[in-house]
Amino acid sequence: MSYPRKDVKQISELANGLIDPVLARRAGINTALLGSWSEIAGEDFADCTRPEKIAWARGGGDDGSFRPGVLTIACEGARALFLTHAQGELIQRINSFFGFSAVHQIRIVQKPVSQAIRRSRTPPPLKGEAARKLEGMMEGIEGDKLRQAIQRLGTAVMGKRGR
C-alpha cells in the first residue's frame, strides 16, 4: 500500500490558495461559491447564471454587527425575469451554503453567461508524399475505427509540419 507524501499538494489546492484572495479582494466571493454554483442555483438557473461579485456593507451595523451584502448575478436574456421571481429561494440557498446570513439582496445583470463552443476545423487532406507516407504507416492496422482515428491524427500532425 502506498501512502501519499506529506509534502505533496494538489494543484487545485495551490490554485485556490492563489485565486481566493484575489477573488475576495476584487469580487467578495471565493472559488467554493463558483465551484458549487450549479448546486446552489439548481437546474433551472445553473446554465444561465453566474455569480459576479458580493458587495459587502461597509462598517457593519450601528452596533458594529455584521450586515449582509448584495450579490450581483449575471443572467442571460429573458431568464432574468424568472430569476427575479425566485430571488427569495436563491437567497436562502446561498445563505445556507455560507452557513450564515451573508446575502440579503440579489442584483441581476443581463449579459451572456455561457461561453461559445469553438469547433476545431478539420485539417485539409494530405497530398503527395505526405499522403503516401501516412498510408504506409497505417498498413498493418485492421480495425476501421482505429484506422480512421489514426488517419485523422496523422493528417493533423503531418499537415502542421508544412507551415
Side-chain angles (χ1 to χ4, degrees):
M1 182 188 310
S2 69
Y3 296 98
R5 295 187 349 202
K6 292 182 181 181
D7 58 338
V8 176
K9 289 188 177 182
Q10 291 184 351
I11 291 177
S12 62
E13 291 176 17
L14 295 173
N16 286 345
L18 294 172
I19 294 172
D20 272 346
V22 174
L23 280 176
R25 187 171 50 251
R26 305 264 318 197
I29 58 177
N30 61 12
T31 54
L33 177 67
L34 294 174
S36 301
W37 184 249
S38 58
E39 291 99 33
I40 295 169
E43 62 184 51
D44 292 338
F45 300 110
D47 62 337
C48 66
T49 60
R50 179 184 64 229
E52 293 278 308
K53 67 178 180 176
I54 298 178
W56 301 103
R58 293 188 181 176
D62 295 334
D63 58 353
S65 62
F66 172 79
R67 289 187 7 213
V70 177
L71 174 65
T72 302
I73 298 177
C75 185
E76 291 183 343
R79 302 284 295 272
L81 178 63
F82 297 110
L83 182 62
T84 303
H85 291 293
Q87 271 187 359
E89 181 184 352
L90 189 57
I91 289 172
Q92 288 176 349
R93 287 181 180 183
I94 292 165
N95 289 336
S96 67
F97 170 78
F98 281 116
F100 64 96
S101 182
V103 174
H104 74 93
Q105 183 181 354
I106 291 178
R107 182 174 159 251
I108 300 170
V109 178
Q110 284 186 324
K111 62 164 88 171
V113 172
S114 61
Q115 301 292 328
I117 299 171
R118 288 186 61 189
R119 300 263 182 212
S120 61
R121 64 179 185 89
T122 3
L126 297 175
K127 297 177 184 170
E129 180 63 32
R132 286 190 291 277
K133 186 175 180 182
L134 182 60
E135 283 298 322
M137 289 178 179
M138 297 189 320
E139 264 180 32
I141 300 173
E142 295 173 3
D144 288 336
K145 289 190 176 193
L146 179 60
R147 186 176 181 81
Q148 290 171 353
I150 291 177
Q151 185 168 5
R152 283 193 310 266
L153 176 64
T155 302
V157 171
M158 295 174 84
K160 287 185 178 182
R161 285 186 184 163
R163 291 181 190 169

